[in-house]
Amino acid sequence: MQRRQFLQLAMAGSALALSALSGCSSRSSKESPLLLSGADKGDEHTVSGWQLGQGERFRLTVEQRVHAPLMRPGSHEAVYVARRPGTAIYVVDVKAGQIKQQVLAEKQRHFYGHAVFSNDGRWLYVPENAYAEEGRGKLAVYDAAANYQRVQEFDLGGIGPHQLALMPDGLTLVVAMGGIQTHPDLDREKLNLATMQSALVFVDRLSGKITQRFDASHQHLSLRHLDVAPNGTVVVGAQFQTAANPDQLYTGPLVFSQRGAEPLKAFEAQERDWLAQHHYIASVVINRAGTLALTTTPRGGRVNLWQLEQGILLRSFPVRDVAGAGYLADQNQFVVSNGLGQLFAVSDELQLLAQAPATRWDNHLSIG
Amino acid sequence: MINRDNEKLDVGLTMGRLNWLLMALLSVLLVGCSKAPTEPKLLADTANQVMSPLYAELNSQTQQLLQQSQAFCQAPSEQTQQQLQQQWRDTMNAWARVQPIGFGPVETGNLRWKIQFWPDRKDLTSKKTEALIRSDETLTAERVAAASVSVQGLAALEYLLFDERVKAVSFYQQNSRRCELLQAIAERVHQVTQQVEDEWPDFAAKFAQPSVDNPLYPDNKAALAELLNTLVVGVEVVKRNKLGLPIANGANAQHAKPYRLEAWRSQYSLALMRASTETLEQLYRGNGGFGLSAYLQEQDAVDDALLGAIDEAFAAVNTQFAAIEAPLFTQIKQPEYYAQLTNLRQRLDLLQRQLAKLPEKLDISLGFNSNDGD
């Protein structure tokens, strides 16, 4: 089963690599995938769109470093959310390659770099830090149909909301609450390591009611990045706060799954594989079939491929400074990006898809 | 006569042509040399001639350490203990030579702490090691691997072998668990350095052959960045962690903190500082191969003055090392001795400043996402 799946993945990878290499001349009727990412070039922050097989579609200089981009469903519009403690959301027309709008955070609020749309593309949900209110985590609701007007906010009952995703019911949001308090005046200093508590929080996106909460298995694990399988299984990646207790070396799990009303369940790997993650998971992506999960760690320089159901490590590839990850549904293919400008297809093996010159792909990748 | 003159003339002409041709050929060769990238040679020589022997030596030393631990435990005596202590020093020295390398299998596997738990400000090593001995758990390499890192590695072995309170041979004779733990830790350290040696060839191949589809080093600059970063950070670790913190950064001899010294129990700190610094100089000079210093001489962007300053800075550090007598631990608060250490720190600082100029000169930037924190 797994073997066959890998072979399929590998074949899809070869096909993709071939189409990427054949370049502009053989443009198919269906356009190749557009990869969205923040990308630094020299000292400049940019938002970028990269079409596989064709290269850069747009690259726009922005004032604030962005973290995660995402497409607005049913549109040619992408939003790029500024990285903590940024205060901007850049709305980009990916066809025209232009910034359409810049949405700024409310006073005494900043974003955490992530957001998610409702399935109809109308509502944008953006985690915020209410840093003047002891760092309470809020979820702001923006109306994309009304020039991204801020229409509502919910309290998330905790600190440090980071990545979030929409559950298959289209109504529930799952939020990784990192648990770590920061204040923009104190740079990115962690203010509450002694008391931090990270959790997965489920929120009704219409009422703002918190429906479920699952705490992290260790007080110093900070849950940050996640993805949701079609059957509603959540896979979440953590960062362990070594600074909280530098004399202890945490060698436990950093990736967990969560189903239904069950608590977090740790993925299984040997101690050496966890250690090699350097206490830091950057991106989590699940394939469309919901059978495989991929995680990246830039500190450890590794891409790990997991069998999702059992939570077993299948493969691990060394890739330097790797962070961004996405899944190309049409090609049945994972793709990862790194700070050296490389894009790799990941299956049975790594295959270079492209290298963007003088480009440092930032933390997260999204497929347009 | 005429014929002879003609002959001479012909020969002269021929020689002239030949010289011209040789000159032309030589200049083509020289231009060829300067244009052909020398990075592959630099990277291959650095991997094969500098790094490979260091990993092999470390793994060989931990193997002997395991054997000597077993020999001591079969017949605990002053003599076998002294042999084991010397073997610990040799192993620690081999580790201090690997320690400053900021890339490769130790780094990718995050294995540093498993080989040496340091710094240890709360002296967890003694507390947790004694707690494990007092417990009723079976003491095996597997148990050690699952324990806190403060009871793993060379620092825990140093505690067992050198700490005045517990090192007596009679303790080992009275309580077999001390020896069980000693052997289990030694076995575990050897397993970890074996992992390093096993993973090294794959890493070395990637380091020595940057290419666009190499997921670790897509180009020569990425590999060069590792090397330069290791030099700058490596000197920083010696200057700050190994020396600066124990001497309170040169503030005052009375503020010196001997228990902050690496390997204070064995009073082996100075040798370890020197061993780490020697690796850094080997990484710079290439250990007989085509090293960074030779490579830099070919780079227009790096002027001779900087290279001269780096040479002088290395020499100044080495001279000062030679002027200081071990052990630091007992002498660190003596004003004259302390002044020598402060001087060493200044010289390391100067060396670091010179080395830190290299990345910019070569238009090399260091990590991106790996330095992030979201």
Side-chain angles (χ1 to χ4, degrees):
Chain A
M1 174 75 184
Q2 276 312 313
R3 181 67 198 162
R4 192 196 300 164
Q5 192 152 34
F6 271 130
L7 288 173
Q8 286 170 354
L9 278 173
M11 286 166 70
S14 317
L16 187 66
L18 278 175
S19 66
L21 288 171
S22 57
C24 313
S25 54
S26 61
R27 185 178 284 179
S28 59
S29 57
K30 193 175 163 73
E31 284 207 322
S32 60
L34 179 67
L35 307 184
L36 308 173
S37 178
D40 273 22
K41 197 167 193 170
D43 294 334
E44 275 193 348
H45 304 308
T46 67
V47 296
S48 161
W50 180 279
Q51 194 120 40
L52 283 180
Q54 294 177 38
E56 191 171 287
R57 279 285 294 271
F58 60 88
R59 162 112 60 157
L60 308 163
T61 303
V62 289
E63 201 176 316
Q64 301 185 19
R65 181 173 168 188
V66 298
H67 190 61
L70 72 155
M71 283 303 292
R72 179 181 173 200
S75 78
H76 299 307
E77 212 167 277
V79 296
Y80 293 74
V81 187
R83 168 182 180 262
R84 178 172 64 96
T87 52
I89 296 172
Y90 300 103
V91 183
V92 176
D93 180 331
V94 301
K95 281 272 180 208
Q98 286 174 348
I99 294 179
K100 287 173 73 175
Q101 192 184 343
Q102 193 178 141
V103 182
L104 288 176
E106 295 284 288
K107 276 183 184 162
Q108 304 202 306
R109 296 288 173 91
H110 73 68
F111 301 129
Y112 282 99
H114 290 275
V116 70
F117 278 103
S118 57
N119 281 331
D120 62 6
R122 172 142 190 203
W123 309 104
L124 180 69
Y125 299 87
V126 193
E128 290 181 346
N129 182 3
Y131 54 84
E133 302 166 47
E134 294 172 318
R136 294 194 70 82
K138 304 282 184 178
L139 190 60
V141 188
Y142 288 83
D143 185 353
N147 284 322
Y148 290 88
Q149 200 177 345
R150 192 178 193 272
V151 292
Q152 204 174 3
E153 74 174 45
F154 303 129
D155 190 288
L156 288 167
I159 289 169
H162 202 76
Q163 192 171 20
L164 73 173
L166 193 59
M167 295 297 286
D169 66 8
L171 289 174
T172 309
L173 295 168
V174 55
V175 188
M177 300 291 286
I180 296 173
Q181 189 182 348
T182 54
H183 192 292
D185 293 349
L186 299 168
D187 199 16
R188 293 156 65 87
E189 190 183 333
K190 295 162 181 170
L191 303 173
N192 65 333
L193 289 182
T195 57
M196 65 172 280
Q197 181 59 63
S198 175
L200 267 192
V201 169
F202 291 79
V203 191
D204 183 305
R205 72 174 177 88
L206 300 177
S207 68
K209 190 174 166 237
I210 292 170
T211 54
Q212 291 188 98
R213 178 187 164 105
F214 302 96
D215 282 352
S217 59
H218 188 294
Q219 201 230 318
H220 295 126
L221 273 177
S222 176
L223 306 175
R224 297 287 182 90
H225 296 105
L226 51 76
D227 199 4
V228 180
N231 69 358
T233 300
V234 179
V235 176
V236 60
Q239 299 170 9
F240 188 81
Q241 303 305 306
T242 48
N245 193 350
D247 294 326
Q248 287 295 315
L249 182 64
Y250 178 77
T251 60
L254 295 162
V255 184
F256 303 83
S257 63
Q258 196 282 325
R259 296 178 177 85
E262 295 167 26
L264 294 178
K265 185 183 158 214
F267 273 23
E268 287 171 29
Q270 290 185 29
E271 183 197 73
R272 66 198 272 174
D273 293 314
W274 289 124
L275 261 182
Q277 303 298 300
H278 285 235
H279 301 121
Y280 192 101
I281 302 292
S283 290
V284 177
V285 180
I286 296 172
N287 66 348
R288 180 181 266 182
T291 53
L292 298 171
L294 177 144
T295 58
T296 60
T297 169
R299 293 192 182 169
R302 284 206 166 257
V303 174
N304 279 5
L305 205 51
W306 308 84
Q307 197 260 34
L308 198 156
E309 179 68 22
Q310 313 280 329
I312 296 166
L313 180 60
L314 297 173
R315 272 168 202 280
S316 181
F317 305 93
V319 182
R320 214 145 79 93
D321 209 28
V322 63
Y327 185 72
L328 307 170
D330 291 347
Q331 285 87 0
N332 284 325
Q333 188 67 70
F334 286 106
V335 58
V336 296
S337 62
N338 70 3
L340 298 149
Q342 292 168 301
L343 292 167
F344 287 100
V346 185
S347 57
D348 234 5
E349 55 187 17
L350 282 181
Q351 279 179 304
L352 184 76
L353 294 176
Q355 188 184 29
T359 299
R360 298 185 286 174
W361 297 115
D362 213 323
N363 274 228
H364 297 292
L365 192 63
S366 184
I367 314 299
Chain B
M1 285 285 280
I2 291 170
N3 278 346
R4 269 181 198 168
D5 281 345
N6 279 347
E7 266 179 33
K8 270 186 184 170
L9 197 65
D10 275 344
V11 169
L13 268 174
T14 309
M15 284 299 283
R17 274 187 195 151
L18 205 59
N19 278 342
W20 186 84
L21 276 170
L22 274 171
M23 291 283 282
L25 192 64
L26 202 61
S27 65
V28 165
L29 280 173
L30 283 171
V31 169
C33 274
S34 66
K35 281 191 176 167
T38 51
E39 286 93 350
K41 174 102 175 110
L42 164 64
L43 299 172
D45 279 11
T46 300
N48 299 328
Q49 303 211 35
V50 183
M51 296 172 71
S52 277
L54 296 176
Y55 294 123
E57 176 65 11
L58 175 60
N59 197 34
S60 158
Q61 290 294 344
T62 60
Q63 187 174 22
Q64 293 172 60
L65 184 66
L66 174 58
Q67 287 163 359
Q68 293 281 355
S69 300
Q70 290 161 345
F72 166 68
C73 288
Q74 276 165 18
S77 71
E78 295 291 340
Q79 193 199 344
T80 50
Q81 189 179 48
Q82 278 167 19
Q83 285 167 354
L84 178 54
Q85 285 172 333
Q86 186 52 45
Q87 181 56 47
W88 181 89
R89 287 188 199 97
D90 293 345
T91 310
M92 195 67 191
N93 198 300
W95 162 241
R97 288 170 197 277
V98 168
Q99 193 187 28
I101 303 172
F103 57 101
V106 174
E107 199 55 31
T108 52
N110 202 1
L111 300 172
R112 205 164 282 280
W113 283 40
K114 292 196 154 271
I115 299 172
Q116 181 197 21
F117 178 68
W118 182 74
D120 178 14
R121 284 177 201 144
K122 298 175 186 165
D123 193 17
L124 287 173
T125 299
S126 71
K127 288 173 199 147
K128 299 226 166 170
T129 303
E130 289 302 327
L132 193 54
I133 291 169
R134 278 196 307 273
S135 75
D136 53 9
E137 295 185 68
T138 310
L139 299 174
T140 59
E142 289 69 35
R143 177 63 191 93
V144 168
S148 155
V149 277
S150 55
V151 304
Q152 301 183 31
L154 296 170
L157 288 176
E158 184 194 19
Y159 166 73
L160 289 171
L161 291 173
F162 291 92
D163 193 289
E164 294 295 340
R165 295 166 296 180
V166 299
K167 71 174 185 181
V169 173
S170 58
F171 281 31
Y172 285 94
Q173 290 161 335
Q174 287 155 18
N175 183 355
S176 62
R177 288 182 65 79
R178 299 197 90 80
C179 247
E180 283 166 27
L181 184 59
L182 183 80
Q183 293 171 91
I185 297 172
E187 187 179 347
R188 182 59 192 152
V189 176
H190 181 53
Q191 287 170 356
V192 174
T193 63
Q194 184 69 53
Q195 179 186 337
V196 171
E197 213 190 350
D198 290 347
E199 291 177 1
W200 166 244
D202 276 353
F203 189 96
K206 290 199 173 79
F207 179 73
Q209 288 168 335
S211 68
V212 69
D213 60 349
N214 178 334
L216 296 184
Y217 302 103
D219 52 37
N220 292 327
K221 274 192 173 180
L224 260 172
E226 294 272 54
L227 202 50
L228 295 175
N229 195 40
T230 276
L231 288 177
V232 177
V233 175
V235 176
E236 169 76 11
V237 169
V238 177
K239 181 190 87 175
R240 183 177 177 277
N241 301 42
K242 296 197 179 199
L243 180 62
L245 292 175
I247 65 167
N249 290 320
N252 184 325
Q254 292 314 305
H255 295 156
K257 301 178 179 74
Y259 292 97
R260 282 280 189 97
L261 285 166
E262 183 186 29
W264 61 268
R265 287 190 167 96
S266 56
Q267 303 191 4
Y268 197 51
S269 317
L270 188 64
L272 298 177
M273 264 183 238
R274 205 167 175 181
S276 291
T277 310
E278 278 169 12
T279 286
L280 295 169
E281 187 160 5
Q282 279 185 7
L283 283 169
Y284 183 71
R285 302 206 187 281
N287 198 25
F290 181 69
L292 191 61
S293 57
Y295 168 79
L296 293 172
Q297 276 167 21
E298 296 177 348
Q299 307 306 310
D300 295 339
V302 183
D303 53 272
D304 290 346
L306 176 57
L307 296 178
I310 293 173
D311 283 341
E312 276 177 36
F314 266 120
V317 165
N318 292 337
T319 307
Q320 188 62 9
F321 264 124
I324 299 172
E325 278 179 27
L328 262 69
F329 182 70
T330 53
Q331 306 176 77
I332 193 168
K333 291 197 176 198
Q334 290 173 17
E336 279 176 28
Y337 192 83
Y338 183 84
Q340 296 277 35
L341 296 177
T342 304
N343 183 294
L344 176 61
R345 183 180 167 278
Q346 285 163 353
R347 292 175 187 220
L348 286 162
D349 186 61
L350 187 64
L351 173 62
Q352 189 192 17
R353 283 165 197 270
Q354 303 300 351
L355 291 170
K357 292 175 184 167
L358 290 172
E360 199 187 336
K361 298 260 184 206
L362 296 171
D363 190 26
I364 281 171
S365 61
L366 308 175
F368 184 52
N369 289 307
S370 46
N371 291 335
D372 198 48
D374 272 352

